[in-house]
Amino acid sequence: MSSLAPFHLAFPVHDLARARQFYGEFLGCPEGRSSDEWIDFSLFGHQIVAHLAPGRAADHHNPVDGHDVPVPHFGVVLDWDDFHALAERVRRAGVHFVIEPYVRFAGQVGEQATMFFRDPSGNALEFKSFRDRSLLFAK
């Protein structure tokens, strides 16, 4: 797989201090520039920006593998060991999983582990990992 360009994602949060604690301290995302209205973080080399936004639209869910997947959501595809280490860190911290870590397509093309949880503002995050990352877009 060729080198990926970093993506940029801006998302709403209710409280910048809690966002700084969750993304910066808990997830270990280095902080970049910030103001009284937003904070830049590096999420595994991708630029995510928490913007202060007191209101929030209602969530939507789509059925996938018998789970109600929250939409919208964002996250990162991690290495297999890093995925499991993050899942354990989330579990130890007592963060509620929207969808507990599990493996989809076991033994098939595109076998992947996935998990969903929310930040303190209710934004849904999905982290996943492929047994073989070269099959990320395989059909």
Side-chain angles (χ1 to χ4, degrees):
M1 182 178 274
S2 64
S3 177
L4 294 175
F7 68 78
H8 165 83
L9 175 73
F11 59 98
V13 298
H14 301 296
D15 183 321
L16 287 176
R18 288 188 74 194
R20 182 173 273 125
Q21 180 182 27
F22 183 81
Y23 289 96
E25 295 174 22
F26 177 66
L27 288 181
C29 299
E31 186 175 323
R33 293 175 298 279
S34 67
S35 78
D36 292 340
E37 300 292 321
W38 52 268
I39 305 170
D40 282 350
F41 294 101
S42 172
L43 180 67
F44 298 92
H46 300 284
Q47 185 190 43
I48 62 171
V49 186
H51 283 269
L52 188 58
R56 180 169 168 80
D59 282 335
H60 176 76
H61 293 84
N62 283 335
V64 177
D65 291 345
H67 299 281
D68 288 328
V69 171
V71 177
H73 63 264
F74 67 93
V76 174
V77 177
L78 301 173
D79 289 332
W80 196 260
D81 291 340
D82 293 338
F83 171 89
H84 292 285
L86 177 59
E88 184 55 32
R89 191 163 79 232
V90 170
R91 190 172 277 113
R92 278 194 319 267
V95 173
H96 171 74
F97 285 104
V98 174
I99 299 174
E100 290 274 343
Y102 77 103
V103 175
R104 299 179 68 202
F105 312 120
Q108 300 175 41
V109 171
E111 180 176 352
Q112 60 190 270
T114 185
M115 65 180 152
F116 287 80
F117 54 91
R118 293 186 183 277
D119 74 7
S121 292
N123 295 296
L125 291 92
E126 177 186 19
F127 289 88
K128 58 173 51 182
S129 181
F130 285 76
R131 285 271 188 203
D132 181 348
R133 191 182 289 193
S134 71
L135 300 176
L136 181 66
F137 297 106
K139 293 183 179 183

